Amino acid sequence: LAAVVTSPNNDNTLNIFNLADTSVAPIVLEAGSTGDTISSLTFTPDSKRLLLIAGGESTANNSLIGIDLATGNEFRISRGRFAKGLTVSPDGTQVAALDWTIPEDPQEPAYTSTVIINIDNSEKATLYTGAEFGADGKITNQTFIAPLVWGKS
């Protein structure tokens, strides 16, 4: 069981409990600085890892993190500006997530792309870019594809 607890000071902590052996101390992970969040989490299909997005919200910097549930060791999979929501492949080797892009020109809007990230080697591939780019470099037609569930093929 994984639960995020927010303190009165807005510090967020992830607590992972082993329901098969409740005498085992929970695995505890801090979200980061005060105000940082754990915005999404999901177990891999084999229940050996918990994957989560921790850090800033909206378009702020954050990270995709994995936790090995047998050892309690955490590892950063990828840094980004990940939006809420993620899904893991049926074989547990990849994650699909939305990643914000912030243009250099502050007059241009941010947009999300759907990315696939390899959990073990952090390779990232863009599945869908959520904007069109005009000849003048302007961003138009922002759209998104939200990863809800990864079907078996």
Side-chain angles (χ1 to χ4, degrees), residues 13 21 23 25 27 43 49 52-53 70 80 84 86 88 91-92 97 109 113 118 133 135 138-142 149-150:
T13 305
D21 185 356
S23 67
I27 298 169
F43 289 96
R49 292 176 170 171
L52 58 113
I53 296 171
K84 292 179 182 177
L86 57 102
V88 64
D91 65 1
S113 294
N118 184 295
F133 306 91
K138 300 295 182 190
I139 295 171
T140 60
N141 299 327
Q142 296 99 305
V149 67
W150 197 310

Side-chain angles (χ1 to χ4, degrees), residues 112-134:
T112 58
S113 294
T114 305
V115 295
I116 305 293
I117 306 164
N118 184 295
I119 294 170
D120 292 321
N121 65 21
S122 302
E123 288 181 9
K124 187 187 294 187
T126 300
L127 180 67
Y128 180 82
T129 301
E132 293 179 13
F133 306 91

